Amino acid sequence: MNMKYIINRKKGVIPFTIEKIAAAIEKALMATKICDAPQENAGELAKTLAAEVEAMLATTAENLPTVEDVQDCAEKVLIRHNLPEAAKAYILYRKKHQLMRESSATLN
């Protein structure tokens, strides 16, 4: 399935970009040194996992998925593929950025 849109944090509808999901997954794989040949293997695995995230969203989302839904699915896919270290790196990255958003909102 080719998902077209998701809902961002500001409740706007934006185009779904599978490349962004693949890039985030690749960063988690690279951070944990999961793949032997960093860029090639991590990139290919990330694309495969991102396609699985998209397929999962297509079967579970009744409405347009949110950014959080997409990220939750990415975590599930990493865990399903026995990549707990990458899942942890992904979760920690999400938490760090959540705290940064909250801190920025407090300052404004």
Side-chain angles (χ1 to χ4, degrees):
M1 173 181 192
N2 189 359
M3 186 169 312
K4 300 213 184 274
Y5 300 99
I6 63 171
I7 299 172
N8 68 9
R9 287 184 181 84
K10 295 179 180 180
K11 307 296 182 211
V13 176
I14 61 170
F16 173 78
T17 311
I18 196 166
E19 292 82 9
K20 286 184 179 181
I21 304 307
I25 291 172
E26 183 177 1
K27 287 178 186 176
L29 294 170
M30 298 289 291
T32 55
K33 298 179 177 48
I34 298 289
C35 297
D36 299 333
Q39 294 295 5
E40 287 182 25
N41 290 345
E44 288 305 311
L45 179 56
K47 287 178 188 175
T48 300
L49 297 175
E52 192 169 323
V53 168
E54 183 178 28
M56 182 185 289
L57 287 166
T59 61
T60 59
E62 293 178 18
N63 300 314
L64 286 180
T66 65
V67 170
E68 295 297 323
D69 294 333
V70 174
Q71 292 176 335
D72 290 346
C73 284
E75 289 174 16
K76 289 175 187 172
V77 166
L78 288 167
I79 291 168
R80 181 186 302 161
H81 284 272
N82 198 25
L83 297 166
E85 298 89 2
K88 182 177 179 180
Y90 191 92
I91 291 165
L92 291 173
Y93 176 85
R94 280 180 76 180
K95 185 65 174 175
K96 176 183 171 187
H97 282 265
Q98 175 190 358
L99 294 172
M100 288 170 47
R101 282 190 304 275
E102 289 170 0
S103 176
S104 177
T106 302
L107 292 174
N108 293 331

